[in-house]
Amino acid sequence: MTNIIFRRALAADYPEILALHRKNLVSNLSELERQNGFLSIDFKDDFHLAALNENLAVMVAEQENLVVGYVCATTQEYSQEIPLLKYIMSLYPDIMFYGQPLSNYHSFWYGPVCVATAYRGSGILQGLFQALLAQVATRFNAGVAFVVNDNLRSLRAHTQKLGMEMLREFEFNGKFYFILGFAVPPLPPS
């Protein structure tokens, strides 16, 4: 992972982020390619990315002026209009996280995240995660993510490499997902 810069996204990065995102959408991948991870939901356009970045953060990993990875984060309030996220938030009172209901935490949404295929396994995911945590650490004490249950590479990356805790499986509109949680700052491995 030489010469990788982790930083907040700029408007000039949005076309590259969108291209990377769309290249990794589940609808654009073969069954074999999906085993290497995929994204489930598309972005509308540059304005959508700008709104996400303004709300909380879009972080990029850049190498030689090329975006090779990104991670987005939004506030719970921003996400109230998205049916899937609204449903997940309705489960918070019943999800225990370090001995308390998830609803007791001031949390944010982590994701989507994507690393270009050639860069996967090189530490970029961890670098993006640390850069994001540096942006949000003073405002939140927990982060929440979700992964569709057949995206095993993403699930392993987030639980094994980033130490996120699998909190619950649930069904929404005929698909099954896992809710993941993590403390901010992250707790040391036990």
Side-chain angles (χ1 to χ4, degrees):
M1 196 173 70
T2 59
N3 302 324
I4 301 289
I5 298 168
F6 298 98
R7 60 172 175 76
R8 187 86 179 245
L10 305 170
D13 299 318
Y14 298 157
E16 285 185 67
I17 294 169
L18 285 173
L20 177 60
H21 186 86
R22 293 196 172 126
K23 184 176 182 178
N24 289 280
L25 273 174
V26 66
S27 57
N28 295 332
L29 299 172
S30 70
E31 191 68 37
L32 184 61
E33 290 170 321
R34 290 178 193 156
Q35 292 175 16
N36 200 25
F38 58 86
L39 298 164
S40 302
I41 301 169
D42 199 3
F43 290 130
K44 294 178 187 120
D45 50 33
D46 287 12
F47 297 109
H48 188 192
L49 279 172
L52 295 175
N53 202 10
E54 185 177 312
N55 174 257
L56 192 51
V58 176
M59 305 300 295
V60 296
E62 174 189 74
Q63 184 180 47
E64 297 175 7
N65 297 319
L66 178 67
V67 172
V68 297
Y70 70 86
V71 64
C72 301
T74 54
T75 63
Q76 301 290 333
E77 296 76 18
Y78 178 88
S79 305
Q80 285 290 333
E81 300 304 313
I82 301 167
L84 173 60
L85 301 183
K86 186 174 183 176
Y87 176 74
I88 296 171
M89 287 183 270
S90 76
L91 302 175
Y92 282 12
D94 299 320
I95 299 173
M96 296 305 286
F97 184 58
Y98 294 108
Q100 297 183 54
L102 192 53
S103 54
N104 286 5
Y105 290 86
H106 185 60
S107 63
F108 70 96
W109 282 107
Y110 164 95
V113 60
C114 185
V115 175
T117 304
Y119 292 84
R120 293 181 186 164
S122 68
I124 288 179
L125 177 65
Q126 294 91 326
L128 285 166
F129 187 61
Q130 292 305 316
L132 176 62
L133 289 176
Q135 289 284 313
V136 303
T138 60
R139 297 177 53 192
F140 300 92
N141 59 4
V144 179
F146 71 92
V147 176
V148 66
N149 73 339
D150 60 349
N151 193 347
L152 297 179
R153 179 168 182 134
S154 180
L155 185 62
R156 280 192 307 271
H158 286 92
T159 57
Q160 294 173 12
K161 292 184 179 183
L162 300 183
M164 292 186 186
E165 184 178 334
M166 194 178 317
L167 301 177
R168 179 172 175 175
E169 186 175 12
F170 71 97
E171 183 268 333
F172 184 80
N173 285 346
K175 289 188 178 180
F176 288 87
Y177 301 86
F178 293 106
I179 300 171
L180 307 176
F182 57 94
V184 179
L187 298 175
S190 47

